Amino acid sequence: MKNIKVLVTRKWPKNVETKLSQTFNVKLNNSDKPLTELELIKAMQDYDALLPTVTDKISDNVISCENRKVKVIGNFGVGFNNIDIDSAKKNQVVVTNTPEVLTDCTADIAMLLMLGIARRASEGEPHVRNSEWSGWRPTHMMGTKVTGKILGLVGMGRIAQAVAQKSHFGFGMKIIYFDPYFKDEKIKEKFSAKSCNSIDELLSEADFVSLHCPSTPETQGLINNDKLKKMKQSGYLINTARGDIVVEDDLISALRNNLIQGAGLDVFLNEPNVPEGLRNLSNVFLLPHLGSATEETREAMGMRVFSNLTSFFDGKEPVDRVV
Ligand code: DGY
């Protein structure tokens, strides 16, 4: 397949870059600098395949460009809201993603955020580092107990189920969820979970609300002031899905005014820009989109893209084809 020209938009794990280079005619991005829209358009005209990631906006402008050569877009990521899917469909460009391989690691980060914010780890760690800790005392930095609490999952896909597995069996949490598209009674029974009839029902009952829905027109801005008001005042919001599911300004004011107790966030509206309003709050635990960031997972994601690409150019259906 050495005659097939492939462009990788960011730096990928070494083993995957090597494998791609052994198989295709690959242009890597050793500088790891994001491509501009103009560079993406040029890439669409010069290459047979584009391998972008969540930081590349593959808009209609990019996909519908004149003299497009790219036939397949192999996204490095399970979420593909960075790609205009309608435009890909219209232009008959195949798009693939990387499901399954990042499920556990993303669920681990949701657990970390939940424990970190409830047990005030993000506040405590700098105390030790900056020599501000004056010693153990009965009322020092008391947080909230996680074990046995109610976890509300918004969306009940793979990552939500992995969070349910860890929190129900590991932390004795009661699982409730809201997902109008999820109908698997066996999974529901496995976690002794309750399916909520509305998101409001979930928000008012959960001690921790964890978001696990994709970013779609239906879910963008879902968690706004009105919804935050429905949460318990002692409740926590956890987001490892996408930043645009939450109205960030509404969340900041809910946290400032103690409408909710705290939030653990791995994703933001305009990454990597995190509003000062959030950064200044002590009742948030903030991470830089680390959900899938382990050596094992990132390599597995890359290998998944590789196998989707080889299938496509072998004339087979890529397993992770989304359009
Ligand atoms: C994804 O895959 O969608 C993550 O957000 C990045 O790992």
Side-chain angles (χ1 to χ4, degrees):
M1 298 190 181
K2 276 289 191 186
N3 58 329
I4 297 166
K5 286 180 74 188
V6 175
L7 182 90
V8 182
T9 65
R10 302 298 296 265
K11 201 167 168 49
W12 282 20
K14 198 81 231 127
N15 288 343
V16 192
E17 289 192 343
T18 304
K19 194 153 178 142
L20 279 167
S21 305
Q22 283 164 351
T23 314
F24 301 100
N25 178 357
V26 174
K27 172 99 164 35
L28 300 172
N29 180 355
N30 293 324
S31 76
D32 206 15
K33 229 177 96 200
L35 271 61
T36 61
E37 185 178 69
L38 226 60
E39 287 169 328
L40 286 169
I41 291 175
K42 184 93 179 59
M44 292 299 276
Q45 295 162 334
D46 291 348
Y47 291 84
D48 300 295
L50 183 76
L51 308 188
T53 187
V54 294
T55 56
D56 300 303
K57 196 167 161 34
I58 313 298
S59 60
D60 180 44
N61 226 5
V62 172
I63 299 173
S64 301
C65 67
E66 269 181 16
N67 305 320
R68 179 183 40 78
K69 192 171 165 199
V70 160
K71 298 166 211 64
V72 57
I73 298 174
N75 200 43
F76 186 100
V78 64
F80 46 85
N81 58 311
N82 54 312
I83 301 170
D84 188 326
I85 290 298
D86 290 336
S87 171
K89 238 186 245 167
K90 181 182 77 189
N91 287 287
Q92 294 175 325
V93 174
V94 169
V95 176
T96 63
N97 71 342
T98 61
E100 292 155 5
V101 288
L102 47 67
T103 300
D104 263 314
C105 280
T106 308
D108 290 350
I109 287 285
M111 298 304 294
L112 172 66
L113 289 173
M114 186 156 64
L115 289 162
I117 186 62
R119 299 305 308 274
R120 302 178 65 178
S122 52
E123 284 177 83
E125 206 261 358
H127 264 229
V128 179
R129 238 180 234 285
N130 304 329
S131 303
E132 286 162 1
W133 181 39
S134 59
W136 192 94
R137 51 196 195 278
T139 55
H140 180 229
M141 227 173 244
M142 294 184 293
T144 300
K145 185 174 176 178
V146 173
T147 297
K149 292 286 169 63
I150 301 176
L151 173 62
L153 300 165
V154 179
M156 198 48 177
R158 278 181 294 258
I159 296 171
Q161 288 170 37
V163 174
Q165 173 81 23
K166 292 166 204 287
S167 50
H168 181 64
F169 296 111
F171 289 84
M173 298 183 87
K174 184 173 181 302
I175 307 297
I176 63 175
Y177 65 90
F178 174 68
D179 186 335
Y181 306 103
F182 182 79
K183 305 277 175 240
D184 192 331
E185 287 298 316
K186 275 213 179 91
I187 300 275
K188 185 177 160 188
E189 274 166 34
K190 177 178 170 191
F191 302 123
S192 312
K194 176 186 135 175
S195 167
C196 296
N197 292 320
S198 67
I199 186 155
D200 289 0
E201 182 185 331
L202 177 136
L203 295 172
S204 64
E205 289 181 20
D207 297 307
F208 295 87
V209 173
S210 192
L211 305 178
H212 298 287
C213 46
S215 165
T216 63
E218 195 185 355
T219 63
Q220 284 153 10
L222 178 69
I223 305 298
N224 57 15
N225 191 39
D226 177 49
K227 296 293 176 221
L228 289 161
K229 274 195 202 144
K230 303 263 160 52
M231 284 179 66
K232 290 181 181 175
Q233 207 184 346
S234 57
Y236 294 88
L237 180 73
I238 307 297
N239 192 4
T240 52
R242 281 293 183 264
D244 60 3
I245 299 167
V246 177
V247 179
E248 242 164 30
D249 286 343
D250 289 1
L251 177 62
I252 293 167
S253 90
L255 288 162
R256 261 193 205 140
N257 301 316
N258 298 316
L259 207 63
I260 65 169
Q261 182 87 6
L265 309 171
D266 187 44
V267 287
F268 305 89
L269 183 61
N270 292 313
E271 296 178 11
N273 302 314
V274 178
E276 204 181 342
L278 267 182
R279 287 187 280 117
N280 285 340
L281 288 167
S282 60
N283 53 348
V284 289
F285 184 6
L286 309 173
L287 291 178
H289 204 147
L290 294 182
S292 62
T294 61
E295 301 264 355
E296 298 90 333
T297 295
R298 289 283 164 85
E299 182 165 323
M301 289 165 75
M303 291 302 180
R304 195 86 178 207
V305 178
F306 174 81
S307 88
N308 285 320
L309 206 61
T310 43
S311 296
F312 177 83
F313 287 110
D314 268 343
K316 297 186 200 125
E317 181 74 1
V319 273
D320 304 316
R321 181 171 178 171
V322 291
V323 289

